[in-house]
Amino acid sequence: MNPYEAYMKEISQPMRDELTNAGFSELTTSEEVDKFISNTKGTALVFVNSVCGCAAGLARPSARESLAFDKKPDQLVTVFAGQDREATSRMRDHLEGYEPSSPSMALLKDGQVVHFIPREEIEDFEVEEITENLTGAYTKHC
């Protein structure tokens, strides 16, 4: 691992921990993504993580807060854009019809996207608004 990769791994670890501590499972390889998609029944929230400020200040807090809601997805997974490139690319292949966006969140039902929140619906929004966007999708699909 080169010094840049080592540095990025070190600084991104707390960003990974923020989600895994909230119950998300990390998918770090394309094989893990394919296995997850092919075996997923019910609902799942896919979080495309990022080192950017809107991920830190808006997206991750919103995802965590949404999990306090009565209805929530059966599974929680995350891929890390810019870090786990193969896994992120493969997940984006499964999010067909949606432009690559990080951070972003997709609610899947039986492996199909039923709700998508791109970066454009995260930046310049309040945590409460993003949380409501998520919980509204949970109410409809979970």
Side-chain angles (χ1 to χ4, degrees):
M1 181 180 307
N2 71 39
Y4 172 76
E5 290 170 338
Y7 172 76
M8 290 306 294
K9 182 174 174 63
E10 183 180 325
I11 68 161
S12 67
Q13 192 59 53
M15 299 168 203
R16 293 173 182 275
D17 295 345
E18 192 173 348
L19 292 177
T20 57
N21 290 340
F24 284 79
S25 298
E26 282 191 298
L27 304 176
T28 59
T29 67
S30 55
E31 294 80 15
E32 288 175 344
V33 170
D34 287 339
K35 183 177 178 183
F36 166 76
I37 292 292
S38 64
N39 294 326
T40 297
K41 300 294 177 229
T43 55
L45 180 62
V46 175
F47 191 106
V48 179
N49 206 351
S50 172
V51 297
C52 73
C54 66
L58 300 169
R60 288 192 299 271
S62 299
R64 286 193 332 272
E65 284 189 25
S66 76
L67 300 178
F69 194 64
D70 290 338
K71 285 191 172 194
K72 55 188 162 226
D74 301 316
Q75 295 181 68
L76 307 168
V77 297
T78 181
V79 294
F80 207 117
Q83 301 296 304
D84 302 320
R85 289 186 168 99
E86 287 181 16
T88 303
S89 177
R90 190 68 185 127
M91 183 59 78
R92 286 177 172 158
D93 290 343
H94 291 291
L95 304 178
E96 194 175 338
Y98 296 93
E99 289 292 317
S101 178
S102 57
S104 62
M105 293 174 263
L107 184 62
L108 308 184
K109 189 165 191 175
D110 297 330
Q112 301 298 313
V113 179
V114 293
H115 189 76
F116 188 78
I117 302 175
R119 180 185 181 111
E120 294 77 29
E121 292 179 27
I122 295 170
E123 284 181 314
D124 301 324
F125 285 81
E126 297 296 322
V127 168
E128 295 76 18
E129 294 172 306
I130 303 162
T131 302
E132 285 177 22
N133 188 339
L134 283 168
T135 58
Y138 300 167
T139 298
K140 184 174 180 180
H141 301 287
C142 296

